[in-house]
Amino acid sequence: LGYTPFRAVTFSLLLLLTVSALNKRTRLTWQDTADALIKSARNIVPLIAASACVGIVIGTVTLTGIGTRLPATILPLAEESLLLALILIMASSIILGMGLPSAACYLLMATLIGPVLSNLGVVPLAAHLFVFYFGMMSMVTPPVALAAYTAASIAGTNIMSTGVAAFRFALVGFTLPYMFVYRPQLLMLDPSGGKATVWSSVLSLGIAILGVTSFATAIAGYFRNPLSIPSRLLMFCAAALL
């Protein structure tokens, strides 16, 4: 057949139908088939709407030329603060990566923003992981959280509530790309791009674990026992400092 995603899915479905028909207990009736088709058509509507929004975003980026202007905007900002530049790149990666497959999202962001991070003195591997990671985070960031919407269709839940829940659970992951930039030892590299020492990598890993744990407990409001508001604020501060 030759491998393509469509052919692979079609072949898998045909194989599934064939095997299920061999047993009376699992055999699909005409009514079961009709119900499955109707349910699939209803569940795909939110995904089609989200994909239409993606088309609008891509069209806006193409027609306005923001893809070429963005690097020129980020570089002057980075001269004042690398953190502000990273925040802008994060927002850009999430918006431009909405609805795109992993490979396409990475290629787009690496082409537009990768050279900017390299010019800022960021380790190249950390720069590429930064844009790739946040491009992937667009899958669970409303209003176009395609992965969350797909999960909502399967679970039969409200799509926006599921998207917000996915975003809340994924918030801890938003800190990791910043750690890659500010502590390249996590990638076993020193700030100049050379090989990091074992001690510096272990130290950075320990600080990252403490930071992620503090942030997760602050978001969840629970650490072995429910946390009070002052305790959660303290955890937020600890996470930011780490």
Side-chain angles (χ1 to χ4, degrees):
L1 289 176
Y3 178 79
T4 63
F6 177 76
R7 289 178 178 176
V9 171
T10 303
F11 180 75
S12 299
L13 288 175
L14 291 175
L15 183 62
L16 181 63
L17 289 172
T18 303
V19 173
S20 65
L22 299 178
N23 191 316
K24 184 178 181 180
R25 184 171 56 86
T26 58
R27 190 176 301 143
L28 290 175
T29 64
W30 288 109
Q31 186 61 45
D32 293 335
T33 303
D35 291 341
L37 292 174
I38 293 172
K39 186 177 181 180
S40 299
R42 288 175 177 169
N43 289 341
I44 203 67
V45 171
L47 299 180
I48 293 174
S51 299
C53 294
V54 171
I56 294 174
V57 172
I58 294 175
T60 303
V61 170
T62 304
L63 293 175
T64 60
I66 190 175
T68 55
R69 296 176 187 173
L70 184 61
T73 304
I74 293 175
L75 277 174
L77 178 63
E79 295 176 357
E80 303 295 331
S81 172
L82 176 60
L83 179 61
L84 291 178
L86 291 176
I87 292 174
L88 179 58
I89 292 172
M90 174 192 72
S92 304
S93 299
I94 291 174
I95 294 173
L96 296 177
M98 287 192 303
L100 294 178
S102 305
C105 175
Y106 167 69
L107 290 175
L108 173 65
M109 300 313 304
T111 303
L112 293 178
I113 300 177
V116 177
L117 282 173
S118 298
N119 293 335
L120 299 180
V122 177
V123 175
L125 179 59
H128 283 269
L129 284 177
F130 188 90
V131 296
F132 176 72
Y133 208 103
F134 279 120
M136 292 297 298
M137 281 298 180
S138 65
M139 290 293 182
V140 290
T141 305
V144 187
L146 289 184
Y149 294 167
T150 303
S153 297
I154 295 173
T157 58
N158 180 271
I159 59 170
M160 191 53 65
S161 298
T162 304
V164 172
F167 176 72
R168 188 174 68 251
F169 291 139
L171 267 179
V172 175
F174 277 65
T175 63
L176 291 177
Y178 290 94
M179 294 181 186
F180 293 155
V181 171
Y182 284 104
R183 292 190 175 274
Q185 293 86 351
L186 288 172
L187 306 174
M188 294 179 285
L189 299 172
D190 62 21
S192 62
K195 185 177 180 181
T197 63
V198 175
W199 166 244
S200 63
S201 296
V202 171
L203 178 62
S204 295
L205 178 61
I207 293 174
I209 291 173
L210 288 175
V212 168
T213 303
S214 301
F215 195 35
T217 54
I219 293 173
Y222 190 90
F223 186 68
R224 303 187 68 180
N225 293 294
L227 298 178
S228 62
I229 297 298
S231 297
R232 295 180 70 176
L233 292 176
L234 186 62
M235 284 293 185
F236 272 122
C237 293
L241 292 173
L242 287 165

